[in-house]
């Protein structure tokens, strides 16, 4: 094992991970809501709960938190919709997901595994690293 990093450096790294963990739930929900709206025209709490593998009550609670955060709205008997801010976040997460999947597949990871792994990686990778992923993939296209 190598030398430990400076305390402040290590603390910043852990803080970054904790910060990402607090937003993962919202990012997953808005991405799924956007996907449901695109594919079926509606995002019902029941469908959200089933697709995320959570209880209906958990989905309702999280949707309420999304509404308080200004990311979603809900209409009785009409489902959940994203605000403009929620839609921007969903598009950002979808783009990050596609980029991570593309990189993993380029490295030889089977597509199904790449999709599964991207679900975690997309939330924690920095913008700097995403840019490096993009440059790597572009350089492969040029070869």
């Amino acid at each position: 094992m190598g030398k430990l990093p400076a305390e402040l450096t290590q603390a910043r790294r852990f803080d970054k991970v904790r910060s990402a963990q607090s937003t993962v739930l919202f990012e997953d929900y808005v991405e799924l809501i956007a996907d449901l709206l695109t594919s079926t025209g509606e995002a019902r709490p029941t469908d959200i709960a089933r697709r995320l593998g959570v209880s209906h009550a958990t989905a309702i609670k999280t949707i309420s938190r999304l509404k308080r955060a200004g990311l979603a709205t809900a209409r009785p008997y009409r489902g959940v919709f994203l605000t403009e801010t929620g839609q921007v976040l969903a598009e950002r997460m979808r783009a990050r997901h596609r980029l991570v999947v593309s990189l993993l597949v380029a490295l030889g990871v089977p597509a199904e595994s790449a999709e599964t792994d991207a679900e975690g990686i997309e939330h924690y990778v920095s913008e700097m690293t995403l840019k490096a992923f993009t440059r790597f993939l572009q350089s492969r296209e040029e070869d």
Side-chain angles (χ1 to χ4, degrees):
M1 182 170 155
K3 181 179 166 188
L4 282 174
E7 290 175 359
L8 186 56
T9 300
Q10 191 167 26
R12 284 186 188 138
R13 290 176 186 165
F14 284 116
D15 185 55
K16 181 178 184 252
V17 171
R18 281 191 303 276
S19 176
Q21 287 172 338
S22 69
T23 63
V24 168
L25 185 66
F26 281 5
E27 291 169 350
D28 282 343
Y29 269 76
V30 297
E31 188 177 5
L32 176 59
I33 291 166
D35 289 346
L36 287 169
L37 290 170
T38 299
S39 64
T40 67
E42 65 181 353
R44 299 176 311 156
T46 301
D47 298 326
I48 294 166
R50 278 199 313 260
R51 289 189 174 272
L52 289 174
V54 299
S55 71
H56 187 264
T58 296
I60 293 294
K61 181 179 174 183
T62 305
I63 291 165
S64 293
R65 290 176 57 205
L66 289 173
K67 290 175 8 184
R68 284 193 303 273
L71 298 171
T73 61
R75 298 183 194 142
Y77 311 107
R78 296 258 347 265
V80 181
F81 300 88
L82 295 176
T83 63
E84 187 175 327
T85 303
Q87 187 62 41
V88 166
L89 178 59
E91 290 168 10
R92 180 175 161 255
M93 294 315 300
R94 192 176 296 122
R96 290 170 73 97
H97 182 87
R98 284 192 308 264
L99 178 57
V100 172
V101 168
S102 295
L103 175 75
L104 294 174
V105 168
L107 294 172
V109 176
E112 185 62 32
S113 292
E115 286 288 341
T116 301
D117 293 343
E119 284 299 331
I121 296 169
E122 69 191 30
H123 300 288
Y124 295 97
V125 66
S126 70
E127 292 298 323
M128 184 184 314
T129 300
L130 288 170
K131 288 177 184 175
F133 288 177
T134 300
R135 285 191 306 274
F136 173 78
L137 291 169
Q138 288 171 343
S139 71
R140 285 179 48 92
E141 289 174 6
E142 294 169 3
D143 292 343

